[in-house]
Every structure is written in structure tokens, then in C-alpha cells.
């Protein structure tokens, strides 16, 4: 599926009244929020005991089973993409930076996996920058189509398998790490280690990148239309294009 086909699947995009953060929390969305609040409390206990920190985003991805177990009880609800969309608008209530919860993206990924829908629209543009940075690992092992309106943190599309992730904003470091397929389209900028350990798939960045693009990359394709910080000396294979010209 091309990016154009992906976006057209959403039909005409309406004006986003949700920017006013006037979200009606129906009982199903309330249930998601209660589960998230419970998980925040559990994460706080683990963090106080030194179990979790930012390093878990990179080195303890198997711990996503903890997130899955937290949201299992939501499975019978068969959540819709619209309900998950509304939940993303509720993040403003949680002060994610103060909570120190780096794995918000993983929690959302589990909701997306539970849903029978294939296309999703997530909002982060209403959040403070410090809270956007806490939304890490969104699109982990993704198989679906996701539009993100706003900035996100590190590891977007980590180990993505297929589908499309289109970000109308900026992303943090390690975007597309261990990517195996699919498409990541970033309308803004991204940080260092773009496409690290990338095996296949396509990443398109319309803005600028940080340093070490393509570190340990062995396949796939990266296209950058802004400025590139640097190409990694660890680049091993695949294709990197800058403003339409292949440079690796």
C-alpha cells in the first residue's frame, strides 16, 4: 500500500474540533482511562523499585507483555479506532512527564492490536512538548495503518512489520529501529539514529534528521528531503536518498 492510498482511506479530513479538548468520555473510553490509570500506578511502583526507566524503551521491549496483561480485560469490548482516538485526546489529563511514564506508546499499541479496525488516527498536538516526548515506541511491531497528528518521542515504528505510520509532526531518536517492512512518513523532523538496524521497508522524512542515519542498516530505503546530520559510519546496506539523489 502506498502512502497516498493509506491517507485516502480516511476520506476527507474534517476540521479537528478535538483541539478544544472537549472530549465526551463515554463508558467505554472511561474504561480505557481507568485501565491506563491503573497501569500508571503499577509503573510508578516499579520505577520506585528501580525496575523501569527510559532504558526499558531500548533494552526491555519484551516487557511489553506487562502492558498486554494490563489491557487484556479490555479485549471483550472490541475497541474501535474512534474510541482509541478519543483516548489519545485524554492524555492531556495525565501529565505524562510528571508521571515519568515512558511507555505510553506501548500501551496505545496494545489497544490498537486489540481492535479489529485497521486504520487509526492519534492526536498528540494538544500536549506539551515534555509530554509528547514520553510517547515512545508507538507503532511497535505494527501491522496496521496509523496517522499521528503531533510530535512523538523515541523509537517510533520499532520493529514495524507492515502497514503505514504517517506523522504530521516530529519524531524522536531511533525512529524505524529494527524495521522489517511497511512505510514510515514523517512530515517534520527526526532525531539521531534514524533507521538504525533497519532490514526492510521505507522511511520518508520531509524535514531534517539528526546524526548517524542508517547505523547498522542492512536493507530498506530512507529518503530525506531536509538536511541530514550525518550518515553513520556503521551503514552496511540498503538505500539512502537525499533530496531525490541516492547517496548510499
Amino acid at each position: 500500500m502506498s502512502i497516498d492510498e493509506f491517507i485516502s482511506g480516511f476520506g476527507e479530513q474534517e476540521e479537528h474540533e478535538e483541539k478544544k479538548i472537549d472530549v465526551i468520555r463515554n463508558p467505554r473510553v472511561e474504561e480505557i482511562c481507568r485501565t491506563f490509570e491503573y497501569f500508571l500506578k503499577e509503573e510508578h511502583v516499579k520505577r520506585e523499585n528501580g525496575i523501569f526507566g527510559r532504558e526499558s524503551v531500548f533494552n526491555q521491549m519484551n516487557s511489553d507483555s506487562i502492558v498486554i496483561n494490563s489491557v487484556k480485560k479490555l479485549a471483550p469490548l472490541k475497541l474501535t479506532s474512534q474510541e482509541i482516538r478519543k483516548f489519545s485526546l485524554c492524555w492531556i489529563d495525565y501529565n505524562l512527564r510528571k508521571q515519568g511514564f515512558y511507555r505510553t506508546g506501548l500501551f496505545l499499541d496494545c489497544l490498537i492490536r486489540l481492535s479489529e479496525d485497521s486504520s487509526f488516527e492519534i492526536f498528540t498536538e494538544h500536549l506539551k512538548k515534555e509530554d509528547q516526548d514520553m510517547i515512545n515506541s508507538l507503532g511497535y511491531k505494527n501491522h496496521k495503518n496509523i496517522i499521528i497528528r503531533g510530535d512523538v518521542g523515541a523509537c517510533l515504528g520499532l520493529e514495524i512489520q507492515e502497514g503505514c505510520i504517517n506523522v504530521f509532526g516530529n519524531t524522536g531518536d531511533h525512529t524505524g529501529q529494527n524495521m522489517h517492512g511497511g512505510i514510515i512518513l514523517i512530515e517534520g523532523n527526526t532525531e539521531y539514529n534514524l533507521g538504525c538496524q533497519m532490514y526492510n521497508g521505507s522511511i520518508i522524512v520531509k524535514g531534517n534528521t539528526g546524526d548517524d542515519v542508517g547505523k547498522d542498516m542492512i536493507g530498506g530505503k530512507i529518503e530525506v528531503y531536509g538536511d541530514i546530520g550525518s550518515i553513520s559510519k556503521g551503514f552496511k546496506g540498503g538505500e539512502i536518498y537525499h533530496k531525490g539523489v541516492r547517496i548510499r
Side-chain angles (χ1 to χ4, degrees):
M1 173 184 287
S2 70
I3 283 290
D4 289 339
E5 290 172 332
F6 165 45
I7 295 176
S8 66
F10 284 86
E12 294 186 8
Q13 298 298 298
E14 57 187 81
E15 292 296 321
H16 299 298
E17 295 294 331
E18 290 80 2
K19 285 185 179 179
K20 299 175 183 178
I21 317 303
D22 183 17
V23 183
I24 298 175
R25 287 194 178 191
N26 63 43
R28 292 163 62 87
V29 175
E30 285 285 3
E31 186 64 26
I32 301 174
C33 291
R34 281 194 294 271
T35 302
F36 186 59
E37 289 160 10
Y38 168 79
F39 190 63
L40 286 175
K41 292 177 182 178
E42 291 294 303
E43 285 284 299
H44 179 73
V45 171
K46 293 181 177 67
R47 190 171 63 256
E48 288 294 306
N49 291 327
I51 297 176
F52 287 125
R54 188 175 189 276
E55 68 278 0
S56 67
V57 173
F58 305 101
N59 301 327
Q60 298 181 27
M61 295 312 299
N62 60 340
S63 66
D64 76 320
S65 61
I66 297 173
V67 189
I68 292 172
N69 289 335
S70 297
V71 299
K72 270 184 178 179
K73 67 177 183 178
L74 297 174
L77 295 180
K78 296 185 178 179
L79 298 170
T80 68
S81 61
Q82 289 300 310
E83 289 162 342
I84 294 172
R85 174 176 178 263
K86 288 179 179 179
F87 169 66
S88 74
L89 288 163
C90 294
W91 281 339
I92 196 169
D93 297 334
Y94 295 109
N95 199 338
L96 299 175
R97 169 63 71 179
K98 184 177 180 180
Q99 295 275 3
F101 184 39
Y102 289 99
R103 301 194 302 147
T104 304
L106 284 174
F107 184 91
L108 185 64
D109 285 335
C110 289
L111 298 181
I112 290 174
R113 292 181 208 177
L114 287 174
S115 176
E116 295 181 356
D117 292 344
S118 59
S119 295
F120 299 82
E121 186 176 32
I122 304 302
F123 286 82
T124 69
E125 60 189 357
H126 58 297
L127 301 175
K128 295 178 181 179
K129 174 61 176 170
E130 62 184 16
D131 290 332
Q132 291 173 329
D133 289 343
M134 305 301 283
I135 303 173
N136 296 304
S137 308
L138 185 55
Y140 174 48
K141 292 187 176 180
N142 182 64
H143 288 265
K144 298 187 178 183
N145 301 321
I146 305 171
I147 284 180
I148 303 168
R149 298 194 181 277
D151 297 350
V152 294
C155 291
L156 174 80
L158 178 67
E159 298 185 26
I160 177 176
Q161 305 294 310
E162 58 184 346
C164 302
I165 302 175
N166 189 189
V167 183
F168 288 90
N170 305 315
T171 71
D173 54 87
H174 290 80
T175 293
Q177 181 173 342
N178 286 351
M179 184 174 184
H180 290 268
I183 301 170
I184 298 175
L185 172 59
I186 303 163
E187 302 288 343
N189 305 319
T190 189
E191 298 181 15
Y192 62 90
N193 279 17
L194 174 70
C196 175
Q197 299 173 331
M198 183 176 176
Y199 292 92
N200 206 343
S202 177
I203 302 176
I204 303 166
V205 181
K206 293 190 176 180
N208 306 322
T209 76
D211 291 330
D212 269 349
V213 172
K215 182 179 180 180
D216 294 324
M217 175 180 175
I218 62 174
K221 181 179 180 181
I222 296 175
E223 300 176 68
V224 180
Y225 290 91
D227 296 329
I228 295 177
S230 65
I231 302 297
S232 175
K233 294 180 180 179
F235 173 80
K236 298 176 181 178
E239 302 175 17
I240 299 179
Y241 292 79
H242 187 214
K243 298 180 179 178
V245 178
R246 184 174 180 177
I247 58 175
R248 288 289 190 279

